[in-house]
Amino acid sequence: MELLVHILTTAAATLLDVAPIAAILFGFQFLVIRKRPPDMGKIAIGFAYVLAGLTLFLVGLEMALFPIGETMARQLTAPEFIHATAGPSYKGQWQEYYWVYAFAAAIGFATTIAEPSLIAVGIKAEKVSGGAVSARGLRIAVAVGVAVGVALGAYRIVSGTSLALYIMAGYVIVIAQTFRASKTIIPLAYDSGGVTTSTVTVPVVTALGLGLASTIPGRSPLLDGFGLIAFASVFPIIAVLGFATLSDWWIQYRMIKKEPVDEDIVDHNLDIREERKR
Amino acid sequence: MMTSLRHLVLFFSGSLRDLMPVILVIAFFQLFVLRQPFPNLAEVLTGLVLVVIGLSFFIRGLNLGLFPLGEAMAEAFARKGSLTALLGFSFCLGFGTTVAEPALIAVVAEAAQVAGSAGHIDDTPEALKSYAFNLRMTVALSVGVALVLGVFRILKGWPIHYLIVGGYGLVVVLTTVAPPEIVGIAYDSGGVTTSTITVPLVTALGVGLASTIRGRNPMVDGFGLIAFASLMPMIFVLVFGMVV
């Protein structure tokens, strides 16, 4: 009974979130385009699926993941867990927080794999690229990026170093990689920075940041708790560009050694090189 | 009966696989690192079942509804050939989907507290409220502008990296002159704007436009709208922090 109430209130909230989007879509559809889209019925059914799916997804996350993830983040960052023997004013060394970094990386990876908007972009990218970019490969690359980013972000909160420095360094790396990467992957890589941080990742990662910032003496949750999301948006770009460059190198290396290579991949690679010459 | 059961299992197994990492990570840390039993195991399991069903439905809805609608609208706008209508739509989509975003509302409330305790604004409820409202409007405006710019880029076929690299350069420069309290919020605001429904719609719009317009490659030109929508709020919020 309680569950049903929870589902219904979440459904109402989701509906309210979607209302402005629906209003804009239908407003432009009927007032500006003035033509019914093909398969209106199918689209309506699709929207119903999206609403129902998102509702159940959110209710489920609130029951299964968020409470336990948040408790876990608090417990792992609690002083009693990290240095059990020392007094309350003991600040601790950054190395003592190894479980925090491990948790940050693992949960960053895992929640990114479950992120619905990244699944959507993956499906689209695989279809548009004709299979050259695999949805699974893209999602794993992005998840690795988030894992590294969130772990590094946790280290930043522990060590108290400047957020801007890390993020600016991240951007400098992205800019350098952009000049080496093939033109086809760049837009997708930039996009993957934005899609990682939504429904699943943000609440858990935010809880981790706030937990850390409120446990460590001298950190303010308001000032230092922010910024993990920024880490989780920059590092996937680096990871996707890095994986793309590595796979290009790997194909070239195999071609030099005259090993038989999958022809589609070679074609894709030749296209890229011709593009670079132009 | 058997075949429909198999379809159902296939339908849900993909989502279960997507959720496996989360389940494993949580179980490992709970049982081996924190060495604690699961609190209310029944509720957690029910929640997991709901998450699996929800994710499967969502992905089905993507392919049935959100992707086709985004593409159909992109095609219709391209056929109609009215630049104003397309850019107007892009702005409304960006502004409208962001302004009511719950994650954004939460972030701006915290941001107002930060500004209040730092003494940038008066620490009164009214001042905090108006600061939060202005910040929210700034972010929503920035996403609208971002989509207009992004769609315009697709139409013109400009290479994305000059714009994005230029944007990052601007963020780096602004970071050094903006008040330090706003920097963390500005960086995070880029991440909270792109919600689960907006991303598929905007992606389908970009790819649809790039596949309809002659001479555009959907892979090179179609992606990138999300990137603009996460970059622009950072710039706008940093400027907001300097002005207010």
Side-chain angles (χ1 to χ4, degrees), chain A residues 72 124 139 171 191 194 199 227, chain B residues 18 30 71 194 196 224 227 234:
Chain A
M72 212 168 253
K124 205 78 203 167
R139 284 166 59 201
Y171 284 152
D191 268 3
T199 334
Chain B
D18 294 334
Q30 187 75 3
E71 272 158 31
T194 41
T196 313
M234 290 197 248

Side-chain angles (χ1 to χ4, degrees), chain A residues 9 82 91 93 122 207 241 253:
Chain A
T9 42
I82 290 163
K91 227 175 150 170
Q93 298 290 311
L241 289 174
Y253 169 78

Side-chain angles (χ1 to χ4, degrees), chain A residues 46-235:
Chain A
F47 254 83
Y49 264 117
V50 165
L51 282 178
L54 216 53
T55 303
L56 293 177
F57 190 69
L58 288 174
V59 171
L61 285 179
E62 275 162 28
M63 287 171 68
L65 178 65
F66 293 159
I68 205 163
E70 281 160 22
T71 319
M72 212 168 253
R74 239 193 347 264
Q75 286 172 338
L76 283 170
T77 53
E80 307 87 66
F81 177 78
I82 290 163
H83 27 73
T85 49
S89 62
Y90 174 63
K91 227 175 150 170
Q93 298 290 311
W94 67 269
Q95 298 93 328
E96 289 177 76
Y97 292 82
Y98 53 92
W99 276 124
V100 173
Y101 310 135
F103 179 71
I107 204 76
F109 181 91
T111 51
T112 305
I113 292 290
E115 201 64 80
S117 31
L118 181 59
I119 296 177
V121 171
I123 294 173
K124 205 78 203 167
E126 182 167 301
K127 205 168 148 206
V128 169
S129 70
V133 175
S134 86
R136 179 186 290 252
L138 177 74
R139 284 166 59 201
I140 291 177
V142 171
V144 168
V146 174
V148 173
V150 178
L152 201 62
Y155 166 74
R156 182 199 78 81
I157 297 179
V158 171
S159 65
T161 32
S162 147
L163 167 69
L165 217 63
Y166 283 87
I167 300 298
M168 287 200 277
Y171 284 152
V172 171
I173 297 173
V174 169
I175 292 171
Q177 281 179 305
T178 299
F179 290 109
R180 295 203 57 89
S182 75
K183 228 169 87 185
T184 41
I185 197 76
I186 292 173
L188 188 62
Y190 287 160
D191 268 3
S192 60
V195 296
T196 49
T197 46
S198 54
T199 334
V200 200
T201 317
V202 170
V204 179
V205 165
T206 309
L208 185 71
L210 290 177
L212 264 180
S214 46
T215 311
I216 297 166
R219 304 278 175 281
S220 129
L222 279 177
L223 286 183
D224 299 294
F226 283 106
L228 276 183
I229 306 295
F231 274 89
S233 329
V234 178
F235 281 81

Side-chain angles (χ1 to χ4, degrees), chain A residues 3 7 14 16-18 20-21 24-26 28-29 32-33 35 37-40 42-47 49-54 56-65 67-69 71-72 75-76 81 99 102-104 106-107 109-111 113-121 123-125 127-129 133 136 139 163-164 167-168 171-172 174-175 178-179 183-188 190-191 193-195 197-200 202 206 210 221-223 225-231 233 237 275, chain B residues 11 17-19 21-23 25-30 33-34 36 38-39 42-48 50-55 57-69 71-73 76-77 79-80 85 88-90 92-93 95-97 100-103 107 110-111 113-114 117 153 160-162 164-165 168-169 171-173 175-176 180-181 183-185 187-188 190-192 194-201 203-204 207 217-228 230-231 234:
Chain A
L3 181 64
I7 289 177
T14 312
L16 216 61
D17 285 350
V18 178
I21 305 177
I24 292 162
L25 290 177
F26 289 104
F28 271 88
Q29 189 74 55
V32 180
I33 296 178
K35 213 176 66 187
D39 336 308
M40 198 54 204
K42 220 175 90 182
I43 290 176
I45 295 172
F47 254 83
Y49 264 117
V50 165
L51 282 178
L54 216 53
L56 293 177
F57 190 69
L58 288 174
V59 171
L61 285 179
E62 275 162 28
M63 287 171 68
L65 178 65
I68 205 163
T71 319
M72 212 168 253
Q75 286 172 338
L76 283 170
F81 177 78
W99 276 124
F103 179 71
I107 204 76
F109 181 91
T111 51
I113 292 290
E115 201 64 80
S117 31
L118 181 59
I119 296 177
V121 171
I123 294 173
K124 205 78 203 167
K127 205 168 148 206
V128 169
S129 70
V133 175
R136 179 186 290 252
R139 284 166 59 201
L163 167 69
I167 300 298
M168 287 200 277
Y171 284 152
V172 171
V174 169
I175 292 171
T178 299
F179 290 109
K183 228 169 87 185
T184 41
I185 197 76
I186 292 173
L188 188 62
Y190 287 160
D191 268 3
V195 296
T197 46
S198 54
T199 334
V200 200
V202 170
T206 309
L210 290 177
L222 279 177
L223 286 183
F226 283 106
L228 276 183
I229 306 295
F231 274 89
S233 329
I237 308 180
E275 223 169 63
Chain B
F11 183 57
R17 211 176 45 219
D18 294 334
L19 289 162
V22 177
I23 299 171
V25 168
I26 296 274
F28 173 78
F29 274 86
Q30 187 75 3
V33 180
L34 294 167
Q36 276 162 8
F38 272 90
E43 198 180 311
V44 170
L45 289 179
T46 322
L48 274 181
L50 290 181
V51 170
V52 169
I53 299 174
L55 194 57
F57 276 13
F58 176 78
I59 290 167
R60 180 143 179 78
L62 273 185
N63 291 323
L64 273 177
L66 288 185
F67 280 158
L69 182 64
E71 272 158 31
M73 290 194 86
F77 274 119
R79 286 249 171 79
K80 199 172 160 63
F89 172 71
S90 312
C92 289
L93 193 64
F95 186 87
T97 54
E101 175 71 31
V107 166
E110 283 176 64
Q113 269 184 296
V114 174
S117 56
R153 173 196 85 88
I160 189 171
H161 45 276
Y162 294 120
I164 297 286
V165 167
Y168 284 155
V171 170
V172 170
V173 171
T175 301
T176 56
E181 299 81 23
V183 170
I185 297 152
Y187 288 170
D188 276 4
V192 295
T194 41
S195 80
T196 313
I197 296 178
T198 322
V199 167
L201 265 177
T203 306
V207 170
N217 174 333
M219 199 64 199
V220 176
D221 302 299
F223 288 97
L225 285 178
I226 308 292
F228 282 97
S230 23
L231 173 64
M234 290 197 248

